[in-house]
Every structure is written in structure tokens, then in C-alpha cells.
Amino acid sequence: MACLGDLIMFFSPKTKTFFDPEYNKGNIPADAVEITADERAALLKGESEGKQITIDVNGYPILQDQPPSTPKEIEAAKKAIVQRHMDEAARALGYDDIKSAVTYAEEPAVPKFQAEGRAFRAWRSLVWAACYAILDDVNAGNRGVPTDAELIAELPELVLPD
């Protein structure tokens, strides 16, 4: 009886897709190369751990480190983290997101909501100012890229009215 590692699989360098001859009968691209099921499993495990599946000079799949992110990609990712952080804080108090919370800042009908709206608006400004200062330091080479948790920890805290 053959073990799993002995099973033949295929990998197409053109489509960067794995093919199982049992399921893909007659639909395996001509450029596909043979690999074992164990090799496929190792490649997928490496990919799940942050590696990238690329192709060697012979068309065989190999694992490589992900290429470094560009400064613009880093900045976009960090801004998305900050936005999510603010939206989550607003949702925790029942607002749809930070934008929704801020709309109450000039609405006097319910003083509690107005006070919270003003607090969220001020906090949002302070958070973005801190975020941009951190990103400027990163882009200037004055510091390394903070992890998402480090970035959030460096941001001002939300101070709500009593």
C-alpha cells in the first residue's frame, strides 16, 4: 500500500495551481510538473506560515520569503489598522463606526450623544495625528515598522465624558 507521500500530484507553473490526477482527470495543464503529496503539503504549510510559493528555473514549486512591503503598502496597512481600531471603539458604544459617532458632535437633542460625539471627534484627530507622526518616523528611517499591537498601544486613548 502506498503512503500519502508517494502519491503523485502536479503543479502548473503557469497557473500556480496544484492538480490531483484523481480529481482532475484530463484537465491537467501541459506545463504541469510532478510532485509528491508530501511536497504539496509542505508547500501549503509554508504558504500558511507566510512564505510564498514561487517557481525554480525548472518550473518546480519552491518556498521563498515574501518580498518586503513597499512604504505605500505598509502605510496603507497601518492606516487600515488604525481605522478599524477607531471603528471598534465606536461600535463598543453602539455606534455604527467612528464616522457615525462623530455625527452626534453638533447634535444637541441628546446631550449624552453630543458629548460622546465630541469626544470621538477630538480622539479621532489625536489618533490620526499620532499615526501620521509614527508613519513619518518610519518613512524617515528613524524607527522600524511597529507591529499592529505596538501601533495601537502608541495611540492616544479615548476619553469619554462622565
Side-chain angles (χ1 to χ4, degrees), residues 18-156:
F18 295 100
F19 294 89
D20 181 334
E22 185 73 22
Y23 297 107
N24 302 108
K25 294 177 184 169
N27 293 319
I28 299 174
D31 72 324
V33 295
E34 283 188 21
I35 61 170
T36 67
D38 282 348
E39 289 171 325
R40 177 182 176 267
L43 290 162
L44 293 175
K45 181 178 186 288
E47 186 176 50
S48 74
E49 294 170 348
K51 297 280 188 176
Q52 180 179 15
I53 299 174
T54 61
I55 302 157
D56 70 11
V57 295
N58 297 314
Y60 285 88
I62 58 172
L63 288 173
Q64 289 187 332
D65 290 332
Q66 291 282 351
S69 298
T70 67
K72 285 187 183 238
E73 290 170 335
I74 292 168
E75 185 171 318
K78 296 306 176 185
K79 285 180 180 178
I81 293 297
V82 169
Q83 184 66 52
R84 184 169 52 238
H85 170 67
M86 291 188 296
D87 288 340
E88 287 172 357
R91 284 187 200 105
L93 289 178
Y95 297 98
D96 293 334
D97 53 28
I98 187 81
K99 292 179 280 190
S100 171
V102 168
T103 64
Y104 287 89
E106 298 307 321
E107 174 52 59
V110 180
K112 175 187 183 309
F113 295 154
Q114 183 178 31
E116 287 177 356
R118 287 179 175 168
F120 272 110
R121 183 174 64 189
W123 179 61
R124 179 181 66 182
S125 295
L126 294 170
V127 164
W128 282 122
C131 175
Y132 290 134
I134 292 165
L135 292 173
D136 287 346
D137 279 348
V138 168
N139 289 332
N142 297 331
R143 64 174 294 172
V145 178
T147 65
D148 295 347
E150 290 168 342
L151 175 60
I152 296 303
E154 291 185 49
L155 300 176

